[in-house]
Amino acid sequence: MQDEHELLAAWQSGDEVAGEALFERYYEGLAFFFASKAGEDARDLIQRTFLLLLENQGRVRDSGNLHCYLYGIARNVLYQYYRGKRRNRDRFVPEEESFEDLVPSASALIGQAEEAQLLLQALRRIPLESQVILELYFWEQMTAKEIGDVLEVPEGTARTRIRRAKQLLEKQLELLANSPHLLESTLSDLDGWAKKLRAAWTPPQ
């Protein structure tokens, strides 16, 4: 059984083998998604995402892509995680606040190429919503339509947000780069450096 919707329906009916198949199919991507934004808490957030997928099986839209639906759940889980960290019910605005605002003590990857470290620092300085969008675009290879499905917005709106997120990233790269050469080297191959950055993480077990 290979169809993801059939696997999900079987899991919903109690088939643990189908659940394990879905877990193996999507675990690595979710691990990277959360590791870049939640650190040591990534494992718990992954489990919470799969649990919500199981509980909400009937809510997958008829025309929806399970891959996109799962990352929509992951995005909501991530934002709920940060809302729960706020004291006195302070408002959390993912369109305005960055990872660096939320976790200023987080360290960059050690021992990686300067371009990869620069990209990570820049990603963590743009609003969290923009970081999510770019990671879906670069790491998950999602199209604008698929990202729109995750964000629950029209494709045209998603394209605008992708373009805006890239602009914000480039601005941070310009501010953080310690030389014109490093900036040019990073910007000339953003997709390649994003893939190397992803490869540098060890998914939580």
Side-chain angles (χ1 to χ4, degrees):
M1 187 186 302
Q2 296 297 320
D3 181 82
E4 56 190 11
H5 290 280
E6 290 181 2
L7 286 171
L8 183 55
W11 189 24
Q12 176 76 9
S13 299
D15 186 340
E16 293 185 3
V17 174
E20 291 175 0
L22 279 175
F23 190 83
E24 290 178 2
R25 183 174 297 187
Y26 289 113
Y27 174 80
E28 184 175 290
L30 285 177
F32 288 122
F33 177 84
F34 285 118
S36 65
K37 295 175 284 295
E40 296 179 354
D41 292 326
R43 181 178 177 182
D44 290 339
L45 300 184
I46 294 167
Q47 293 177 341
R48 194 179 306 171
T49 298
F50 277 111
L51 179 60
L52 287 172
L53 175 66
L54 175 62
E55 293 175 345
N56 298 333
Q57 184 267 344
R59 299 182 185 179
V60 180
R61 290 166 292 191
D62 293 339
S63 60
N65 179 312
L66 185 59
H67 183 212
C68 298
Y69 183 75
L70 181 63
Y71 277 89
I73 294 175
R75 171 175 169 264
N76 291 335
V77 166
L78 179 70
Y79 292 171
Q80 187 61 40
Y81 165 77
Y82 279 118
R83 289 187 184 99
K85 285 182 168 292
R86 286 297 172 87
R87 297 179 179 179
N88 302 320
R89 297 184 179 179
D90 289 341
R91 187 163 172 254
F92 165 61
V93 185
E95 295 84 4
E96 299 176 4
E97 298 176 79
S98 69
F99 181 87
E100 287 292 326
D101 295 329
L102 298 163
V103 192
S105 61
S107 60
L109 295 174
I110 304 300
Q112 298 303 311
E114 284 187 283
E115 290 88 348
Q117 293 199 43
L118 175 63
L119 178 56
L120 175 63
Q121 292 171 27
L123 280 169
R124 288 178 164 178
R125 286 175 180 251
I126 64 177
L128 194 59
E129 177 82 336
S130 295
Q131 181 183 352
V132 167
I133 288 170
L134 289 183
E135 289 182 4
L136 293 177
Y137 180 82
F138 285 120
W139 291 358
E140 292 303 315
Q141 306 273 300
M142 285 192 182
T143 64
K145 182 181 184 306
E146 289 172 329
I147 292 174
D149 288 342
V150 173
L151 304 179
E152 298 184 330
V153 299
E155 181 179 350
T157 302
R159 288 186 183 279
T160 299
R161 294 187 185 181
I162 293 169
R163 183 167 58 251
R164 175 58 177 162
K166 287 182 177 180
Q167 292 171 345
L168 291 172
L169 178 67
E170 290 182 10
K171 181 177 180 180
Q172 286 301 322
L173 288 170
E174 292 172 359
L175 291 172
L176 291 167
N178 57 25
S179 72
H181 173 74
L182 177 59
L183 176 61
E184 180 181 355
S185 176
T186 307
L187 287 173
S188 65
D189 189 20
L190 273 179
D191 186 63
W193 290 116
K195 289 177 180 177
K196 291 177 182 179
L197 184 57
R198 170 172 174 165
W201 265 298
T202 301
Q205 301 298 316

